[in-house]
PDB file of all heavy atoms in Angstrom:
ATOM      1  N   VAL A   1      -8.648  23.699  -1.324  1.00  0.00           N
ATOM      2  CA  VAL A   1      -7.972  22.769  -0.484  1.00  0.00           C
ATOM      3  C   VAL A   1      -8.943  22.130   0.563  1.00  0.00           C
ATOM      4  O   VAL A   1      -9.699  22.893   1.150  1.00  0.00           O
ATOM      5  CB  VAL A   1      -6.789  23.433   0.303  1.00  0.00           C
ATOM      6  CG1 VAL A   1      -6.172  22.507   1.343  1.00  0.00           C
ATOM      7  CG2 VAL A   1      -5.767  24.096  -0.628  1.00  0.00           C
ATOM      8  N   LEU A   2      -8.944  20.835   0.612  1.00  0.00           N
ATOM      9  CA  LEU A   2      -9.859  20.175   1.497  1.00  0.00           C
ATOM     10  C   LEU A   2      -9.063  19.440   2.606  1.00  0.00           C
ATOM     11  O   LEU A   2      -8.190  18.594   2.223  1.00  0.00           O
ATOM     12  CB  LEU A   2     -10.744  19.150   0.760  1.00  0.00           C
ATOM     13  CG  LEU A   2     -11.498  18.156   1.621  1.00  0.00           C
ATOM     14  CD1 LEU A   2     -12.614  18.895   2.458  1.00  0.00           C
ATOM     15  CD2 LEU A   2     -12.184  17.123   0.739  1.00  0.00           C
ATOM     16  N   VAL A   3      -9.307  19.701   3.856  1.00  0.00           N
ATOM     17  CA  VAL A   3      -8.681  19.016   4.946  1.00  0.00           C
ATOM     18  C   VAL A   3      -9.766  18.089   5.519  1.00  0.00           C
ATOM     19  O   VAL A   3     -10.650  18.620   6.226  1.00  0.00           O
ATOM     20  CB  VAL A   3      -8.081  19.925   6.019  1.00  0.00           C
ATOM     21  CG1 VAL A   3      -7.474  19.156   7.133  1.00  0.00           C
ATOM     22  CG2 VAL A   3      -7.023  20.806   5.400  1.00  0.00           C
ATOM     23  N   ASN A   4      -9.758  16.847   5.205  1.00  0.00           N
ATOM     24  CA  ASN A   4     -10.763  15.933   5.680  1.00  0.00           C
ATOM     25  C   ASN A   4     -10.279  15.350   7.050  1.00  0.00           C
ATOM     26  O   ASN A   4      -9.478  14.435   7.221  1.00  0.00           O
ATOM     27  CB  ASN A   4     -10.859  14.753   4.693  1.00  0.00           C
ATOM     28  CG  ASN A   4     -12.141  14.587   4.129  1.00  0.00           C
ATOM     29  OD1 ASN A   4     -13.203  14.958   4.788  1.00  0.00           O
ATOM     30  ND2 ASN A   4     -12.299  13.873   2.997  1.00  0.00           N
ATOM     31  N   ASN A   5     -10.725  16.013   8.145  1.00  0.00           N
ATOM     32  CA  ASN A   5     -10.106  15.777   9.406  1.00  0.00           C
ATOM     33  C   ASN A   5     -11.076  15.198  10.440  1.00  0.00           C
ATOM     34  O   ASN A   5     -10.624  14.730  11.484  1.00  0.00           O
ATOM     35  CB  ASN A   5      -9.633  17.173   9.905  1.00  0.00           C
ATOM     36  CG  ASN A   5      -8.989  17.160  11.273  1.00  0.00           C
ATOM     37  OD1 ASN A   5      -7.964  16.576  11.383  1.00  0.00           O
ATOM     38  ND2 ASN A   5      -9.736  17.537  12.310  1.00  0.00           N
ATOM     39  N   ALA A   6     -12.369  15.159  10.227  1.00  0.00           N
ATOM     40  CA  ALA A   6     -13.287  14.701  11.145  1.00  0.00           C
ATOM     41  C   ALA A   6     -12.934  13.218  11.485  1.00  0.00           C
ATOM     42  O   ALA A   6     -12.506  12.481  10.561  1.00  0.00           O
ATOM     43  CB  ALA A   6     -14.729  14.766  10.634  1.00  0.00           C
ATOM     44  N   GLY A   7     -13.106  12.748  12.712  1.00  0.00           N
ATOM     45  CA  GLY A   7     -12.835  11.361  13.040  1.00  0.00           C
ATOM     46  C   GLY A   7     -13.539  10.968  14.318  1.00  0.00           C
ATOM     47  O   GLY A   7     -13.792  11.759  15.235  1.00  0.00           O
ATOM     48  N   VAL A   8     -13.715   9.691  14.473  1.00  0.00           N
ATOM     49  CA  VAL A   8     -14.286   9.072  15.648  1.00  0.00           C
ATOM     50  C   VAL A   8     -13.292   8.175  16.328  1.00  0.00           C
ATOM     51  O   VAL A   8     -12.634   7.393  15.592  1.00  0.00           O
ATOM     52  CB  VAL A   8     -15.535   8.226  15.327  1.00  0.00           C
ATOM     53  CG1 VAL A   8     -16.036   7.433  16.604  1.00  0.00           C
ATOM     54  CG2 VAL A   8     -16.673   9.159  14.719  1.00  0.00           C
ATOM     55  N   VAL A   9     -13.065   8.248  17.614  1.00  0.00           N
ATOM     56  CA  VAL A   9     -12.203   7.420  18.385  1.00  0.00           C
ATOM     57  C   VAL A   9     -13.048   6.795  19.407  1.00  0.00           C
ATOM     58  O   VAL A   9     -13.617   7.510  20.258  1.00  0.00           O
ATOM     59  CB  VAL A   9     -11.000   8.180  18.908  1.00  0.00           C
ATOM     60  CG1 VAL A   9     -10.079   7.292  19.780  1.00  0.00           C
ATOM     61  CG2 VAL A   9     -10.200   8.944  17.987  1.00  0.00           C
ATOM     62  N   SER A  10     -13.129   5.456  19.392  1.00  0.00           N
ATOM     63  CA  SER A  10     -14.007   4.799  20.368  1.00  0.00           C
ATOM     64  C   SER A  10     -13.406   4.704  21.751  1.00  0.00           C
ATOM     65  O   SER A  10     -14.237   4.763  22.660  1.00  0.00           O
ATOM     66  CB  SER A  10     -14.378   3.371  19.858  1.00  0.00           C
ATOM     67  OG  SER A  10     -13.186   2.482  19.900  1.00  0.00           O
ATOM     68  N   GLY A  11     -12.141   4.480  21.870  1.00  0.00           N
ATOM     69  CA  GLY A  11     -11.558   4.237  23.159  1.00  0.00           C
ATOM     70  C   GLY A  11     -11.734   2.914  23.728  1.00  0.00           C
ATOM     71  O   GLY A  11     -11.321   2.642  24.831  1.00  0.00           O
ATOM     72  N   HIS A  12     -12.262   1.988  22.884  1.00  0.00           N
ATOM     73  CA  HIS A  12     -12.547   0.671  23.359  1.00  0.00           C
ATOM     74  C   HIS A  12     -11.684  -0.305  22.484  1.00  0.00           C
ATOM     75  O   HIS A  12     -11.311  -0.049  21.411  1.00  0.00           O
ATOM     76  CB  HIS A  12     -14.039   0.263  23.146  1.00  0.00           C
ATOM     77  CG  HIS A  12     -14.944   1.055  23.900  1.00  0.00           C
ATOM     78  ND1 HIS A  12     -15.172   0.902  25.190  1.00  0.00           N
ATOM     79  CD2 HIS A  12     -15.820   1.923  23.468  1.00  0.00           C
ATOM     80  CE1 HIS A  12     -16.132   1.723  25.618  1.00  0.00           C
ATOM     81  NE2 HIS A  12     -16.560   2.382  24.589  1.00  0.00           N
ATOM     82  N   HIS A  13     -11.339  -1.517  23.093  1.00  0.00           N
ATOM     83  CA  HIS A  13     -10.810  -2.682  22.319  1.00  0.00           C
ATOM     84  C   HIS A  13     -11.715  -3.045  21.321  1.00  0.00           C
ATOM     85  O   HIS A  13     -13.000  -3.068  21.601  1.00  0.00           O
ATOM     86  CB  HIS A  13     -10.282  -3.686  23.192  1.00  0.00           C
ATOM     87  CG  HIS A  13      -9.177  -3.362  24.128  1.00  0.00           C
ATOM     88  ND1 HIS A  13      -7.894  -3.052  23.692  1.00  0.00           N
ATOM     89  CD2 HIS A  13      -9.197  -3.053  25.479  1.00  0.00           C
ATOM     90  CE1 HIS A  13      -7.101  -2.770  24.628  1.00  0.00           C
ATOM     91  NE2 HIS A  13      -7.871  -2.706  25.735  1.00  0.00           N
ATOM     92  N   LEU A  14     -11.395  -3.536  20.211  1.00  0.00           N
ATOM     93  CA  LEU A  14     -12.259  -3.944  19.088  1.00  0.00           C
ATOM     94  C   LEU A  14     -13.344  -4.897  19.569  1.00  0.00           C
ATOM     95  O   LEU A  14     -14.468  -4.810  19.340  1.00  0.00           O
ATOM     96  CB  LEU A  14     -11.456  -4.584  17.985  1.00  0.00           C
ATOM     97  CG  LEU A  14     -12.336  -5.157  16.832  1.00  0.00           C
ATOM     98  CD1 LEU A  14     -13.092  -4.030  16.131  1.00  0.00           C
ATOM     99  CD2 LEU A  14     -11.409  -5.922  15.799  1.00  0.00           C
ATOM    100  N   LEU A  15     -12.952  -5.901  20.426  1.00  0.00           N
ATOM    101  CA  LEU A  15     -13.916  -6.927  20.833  1.00  0.00           C
ATOM    102  C   LEU A  15     -14.845  -6.365  21.974  1.00  0.00           C
ATOM    103  O   LEU A  15     -15.818  -7.047  22.238  1.00  0.00           O
ATOM    104  CB  LEU A  15     -13.165  -8.114  21.358  1.00  0.00           C
ATOM    105  CG  LEU A  15     -12.334  -8.912  20.310  1.00  0.00           C
ATOM    106  CD1 LEU A  15     -11.581 -10.121  20.895  1.00  0.00           C
ATOM    107  CD2 LEU A  15     -13.185  -9.309  19.140  1.00  0.00           C
ATOM    108  N   GLU A  16     -14.570  -5.192  22.465  1.00  0.00           N
ATOM    109  CA  GLU A  16     -15.484  -4.641  23.411  1.00  0.00           C
ATOM    110  C   GLU A  16     -16.361  -3.569  22.872  1.00  0.00           C
ATOM    111  O   GLU A  16     -17.164  -2.944  23.537  1.00  0.00           O
ATOM    112  CB  GLU A  16     -14.661  -4.023  24.625  1.00  0.00           C
ATOM    113  CG  GLU A  16     -13.728  -5.000  25.376  1.00  0.00           C
ATOM    114  CD  GLU A  16     -12.716  -4.290  26.320  1.00  0.00           C
ATOM    115  OE1 GLU A  16     -12.680  -3.098  26.284  1.00  0.00           O
ATOM    116  OE2 GLU A  16     -12.067  -5.070  26.976  1.00  0.00           O
ATOM    117  N   CYS A  17     -16.148  -3.235  21.603  1.00  0.00           N
ATOM    118  CA  CYS A  17     -16.887  -2.207  20.896  1.00  0.00           C
ATOM    119  C   CYS A  17     -18.251  -2.630  20.423  1.00  0.00           C
ATOM    120  O   CYS A  17     -18.252  -3.679  19.664  1.00  0.00           O
ATOM    121  CB  CYS A  17     -16.051  -1.757  19.632  1.00  0.00           C
ATOM    122  SG  CYS A  17     -15.836   0.002  19.583  1.00  0.00           S
ATOM    123  N   PRO A  18     -19.331  -1.983  20.694  1.00  0.00           N
ATOM    124  CA  PRO A  18     -20.594  -2.327  20.192  1.00  0.00           C
ATOM    125  C   PRO A  18     -20.704  -2.088  18.687  1.00  0.00           C
ATOM    126  O   PRO A  18     -19.953  -1.266  18.117  1.00  0.00           O
ATOM    127  CB  PRO A  18     -21.553  -1.414  20.957  1.00  0.00           C
ATOM    128  CG  PRO A  18     -20.754  -0.283  21.526  1.00  0.00           C
ATOM    129  CD  PRO A  18     -19.340  -0.765  21.588  1.00  0.00           C
ATOM    130  N   ASP A  19     -21.361  -2.872  18.031  1.00  0.00           N
ATOM    131  CA  ASP A  19     -21.473  -2.876  16.501  1.00  0.00           C
ATOM    132  C   ASP A  19     -21.868  -1.437  16.049  1.00  0.00           C
ATOM    133  O   ASP A  19     -21.291  -1.065  15.083  1.00  0.00           O
ATOM    134  CB  ASP A  19     -22.599  -3.932  16.069  1.00  0.00           C
ATOM    135  CG  ASP A  19     -22.142  -5.316  16.278  1.00  0.00           C
ATOM    136  OD1 ASP A  19     -20.960  -5.543  16.474  1.00  0.00           O
ATOM    137  OD2 ASP A  19     -23.101  -6.144  16.204  1.00  0.00           O
ATOM    138  N   GLU A  20     -22.687  -0.824  16.736  1.00  0.00           N
ATOM    139  CA  GLU A  20     -23.140   0.545  16.252  1.00  0.00           C
ATOM    140  C   GLU A  20     -21.919   1.500  16.227  1.00  0.00           C
ATOM    141  O   GLU A  20     -21.764   2.437  15.387  1.00  0.00           O
ATOM    142  CB  GLU A  20     -24.301   1.140  17.118  1.00  0.00           C
ATOM    143  CG  GLU A  20     -25.537   0.377  17.190  1.00  0.00           C
ATOM    144  CD  GLU A  20     -25.628  -0.898  17.982  1.00  0.00           C
ATOM    145  OE1 GLU A  20     -24.689  -1.030  18.872  1.00  0.00           O
ATOM    146  OE2 GLU A  20     -26.307  -1.841  17.646  1.00  0.00           O
ATOM    147  N   LEU A  21     -21.092   1.380  17.263  1.00  0.00           N
ATOM    148  CA  LEU A  21     -19.877   2.211  17.280  1.00  0.00           C
ATOM    149  C   LEU A  21     -18.936   1.906  16.229  1.00  0.00           C
ATOM    150  O   LEU A  21     -18.242   2.745  15.645  1.00  0.00           O
ATOM    151  CB  LEU A  21     -19.278   2.197  18.684  1.00  0.00           C
ATOM    152  CG  LEU A  21     -18.071   3.242  18.995  1.00  0.00           C
ATOM    153  CD1 LEU A  21     -18.624   4.643  18.619  1.00  0.00           C
ATOM    154  CD2 LEU A  21     -17.693   3.099  20.422  1.00  0.00           C
ATOM    155  N   ILE A  22     -18.789   0.701  15.934  1.00  0.00           N
ATOM    156  CA  ILE A  22     -17.813   0.233  14.852  1.00  0.00           C
ATOM    157  C   ILE A  22     -18.430   0.781  13.568  1.00  0.00           C
ATOM    158  O   ILE A  22     -17.616   1.280  12.629  1.00  0.00           O
ATOM    159  CB  ILE A  22     -17.675  -1.358  14.800  1.00  0.00           C
ATOM    160  CG1 ILE A  22     -16.950  -1.852  16.021  1.00  0.00           C
ATOM    161  CG2 ILE A  22     -17.060  -1.749  13.536  1.00  0.00           C
ATOM    162  CD1 ILE A  22     -16.991  -3.331  16.136  1.00  0.00           C
ATOM    163  N   GLU A  23     -19.753   0.617  13.312  1.00  0.00           N
ATOM    164  CA  GLU A  23     -20.281   1.164  12.073  1.00  0.00           C
ATOM    165  C   GLU A  23     -20.076   2.650  11.962  1.00  0.00           C
ATOM    166  O   GLU A  23     -19.748   3.251  10.945  1.00  0.00           O
ATOM    167  CB  GLU A  23     -21.742   0.772  12.017  1.00  0.00           C
ATOM    168  CG  GLU A  23     -21.982  -0.707  11.766  1.00  0.00           C
ATOM    169  CD  GLU A  23     -23.483  -1.057  11.865  1.00  0.00           C
ATOM    170  OE1 GLU A  23     -24.289  -0.286  12.294  1.00  0.00           O
ATOM    171  OE2 GLU A  23     -23.712  -2.148  11.359  1.00  0.00           O
ATOM    172  N   ARG A  24     -20.265   3.406  13.055  1.00  0.00           N
ATOM    173  CA  ARG A  24     -20.148   4.911  13.030  1.00  0.00           C
ATOM    174  C   ARG A  24     -18.734   5.203  12.799  1.00  0.00           C
ATOM    175  O   ARG A  24     -18.429   6.187  12.022  1.00  0.00           O
ATOM    176  CB  ARG A  24     -20.621   5.416  14.400  1.00  0.00           C
ATOM    177  CG  ARG A  24     -20.473   6.929  14.660  1.00  0.00           C
ATOM    178  CD  ARG A  24     -21.512   7.640  13.901  1.00  0.00           C
ATOM    179  NE  ARG A  24     -21.305   9.144  14.105  1.00  0.00           N
ATOM    180  CZ  ARG A  24     -21.563   9.995  13.131  1.00  0.00           C
ATOM    181  NH1 ARG A  24     -22.124   9.563  12.055  1.00  0.00           N
ATOM    182  NH2 ARG A  24     -21.333  11.241  13.395  1.00  0.00           N
ATOM    183  N   THR A  25     -17.785   4.530  13.442  1.00  0.00           N
ATOM    184  CA  THR A  25     -16.392   4.779  13.129  1.00  0.00           C
ATOM    185  C   THR A  25     -16.017   4.619  11.727  1.00  0.00           C
ATOM    186  O   THR A  25     -15.325   5.491  11.077  1.00  0.00           O
ATOM    187  CB  THR A  25     -15.464   3.844  14.024  1.00  0.00           C
ATOM    188  OG1 THR A  25     -15.782   4.017  15.423  1.00  0.00           O
ATOM    189  CG2 THR A  25     -14.017   4.132  13.840  1.00  0.00           C
ATOM    190  N   MET A  26     -16.485   3.569  11.095  1.00  0.00           N
ATOM    191  CA  MET A  26     -16.245   3.307   9.619  1.00  0.00           C
ATOM    192  C   MET A  26     -16.816   4.372   8.834  1.00  0.00           C
ATOM    193  O   MET A  26     -16.193   4.808   7.830  1.00  0.00           O
ATOM    194  CB  MET A  26     -16.705   1.898   9.291  1.00  0.00           C
ATOM    195  CG  MET A  26     -15.789   0.836   9.875  1.00  0.00           C
ATOM    196  SD  MET A  26     -14.064   0.991   9.490  1.00  0.00           S
ATOM    197  CE  MET A  26     -14.058   0.727   7.728  1.00  0.00           C
ATOM    198  N   MET A  27     -18.058   4.834   9.112  1.00  0.00           N
ATOM    199  CA  MET A  27     -18.691   5.854   8.324  1.00  0.00           C
ATOM    200  C   MET A  27     -17.899   7.119   8.371  1.00  0.00           C
ATOM    201  O   MET A  27     -17.733   7.769   7.356  1.00  0.00           O
ATOM    202  CB  MET A  27     -20.172   6.052   8.810  1.00  0.00           C
ATOM    203  CG  MET A  27     -21.077   4.930   8.483  1.00  0.00           C
ATOM    204  SD  MET A  27     -21.144   4.639   6.682  1.00  0.00           S
ATOM    205  CE  MET A  27     -22.735   3.958   6.510  1.00  0.00           C
ATOM    206  N   VAL A  28     -17.488   7.600   9.558  1.00  0.00           N
ATOM    207  CA  VAL A  28     -16.846   8.888   9.684  1.00  0.00           C
ATOM    208  C   VAL A  28     -15.390   8.773   9.227  1.00  0.00           C
ATOM    209  O   VAL A  28     -14.910   9.636   8.643  1.00  0.00           O
ATOM    210  CB  VAL A  28     -16.971   9.413  11.164  1.00  0.00           C
ATOM    211  CG1 VAL A  28     -16.158  10.600  11.335  1.00  0.00           C
ATOM    212  CG2 VAL A  28     -18.443   9.613  11.460  1.00  0.00           C
ATOM    213  N   ASN A  29     -14.737   7.721   9.734  1.00  0.00           N
ATOM    214  CA  ASN A  29     -13.305   7.691   9.506  1.00  0.00           C
ATOM    215  C   ASN A  29     -12.830   7.050   8.148  1.00  0.00           C
ATOM    216  O   ASN A  29     -11.648   7.203   7.738  1.00  0.00           O
ATOM    217  CB  ASN A  29     -12.569   6.774  10.647  1.00  0.00           C
ATOM    218  CG  ASN A  29     -12.677   7.364  11.991  1.00  0.00           C
ATOM    219  OD1 ASN A  29     -13.293   8.491  12.191  1.00  0.00           O
ATOM    220  ND2 ASN A  29     -12.115   6.767  12.976  1.00  0.00           N
ATOM    221  N   CYS A  30     -13.789   6.512   7.451  1.00  0.00           N
ATOM    222  CA  CYS A  30     -13.486   5.909   6.151  1.00  0.00           C
ATOM    223  C   CYS A  30     -14.405   6.461   5.001  1.00  0.00           C
ATOM    224  O   CYS A  30     -14.008   7.177   4.208  1.00  0.00           O
ATOM    225  CB  CYS A  30     -13.557   4.397   6.214  1.00  0.00           C
ATOM    226  SG  CYS A  30     -13.106   3.674   4.637  1.00  0.00           S
ATOM    227  N   HIS A  31     -15.626   6.059   5.075  1.00  0.00           N
ATOM    228  CA  HIS A  31     -16.569   6.478   4.062  1.00  0.00           C
ATOM    229  C   HIS A  31     -16.694   7.886   3.820  1.00  0.00           C
ATOM    230  O   HIS A  31     -16.835   8.350   2.676  1.00  0.00           O
ATOM    231  CB  HIS A  31     -17.964   5.881   4.313  1.00  0.00           C
ATOM    232  CG  HIS A  31     -17.977   4.301   4.374  1.00  0.00           C
ATOM    233  ND1 HIS A  31     -18.925   3.665   5.088  1.00  0.00           N
ATOM    234  CD2 HIS A  31     -17.116   3.439   3.837  1.00  0.00           C
ATOM    235  CE1 HIS A  31     -18.677   2.340   4.973  1.00  0.00           C
ATOM    236  NE2 HIS A  31     -17.552   2.246   4.191  1.00  0.00           N
ATOM    237  N   ALA A  32     -16.754   8.729   4.886  1.00  0.00           N
ATOM    238  CA  ALA A  32     -16.812  10.227   4.760  1.00  0.00           C
ATOM    239  C   ALA A  32     -15.748  10.734   3.881  1.00  0.00           C
ATOM    240  O   ALA A  32     -16.074  11.776   3.214  1.00  0.00           O
ATOM    241  CB  ALA A  32     -16.805  10.789   6.155  1.00  0.00           C
TER     242      ALA A  32
END
């Protein structure tokens, strides 16, 4: 059984989010 639970929450509105944080969020919350 695999519980894929790791996640990143930026706490910023999308337009206030730096590109690096958006990329990190996608890597952890989606690609991982």
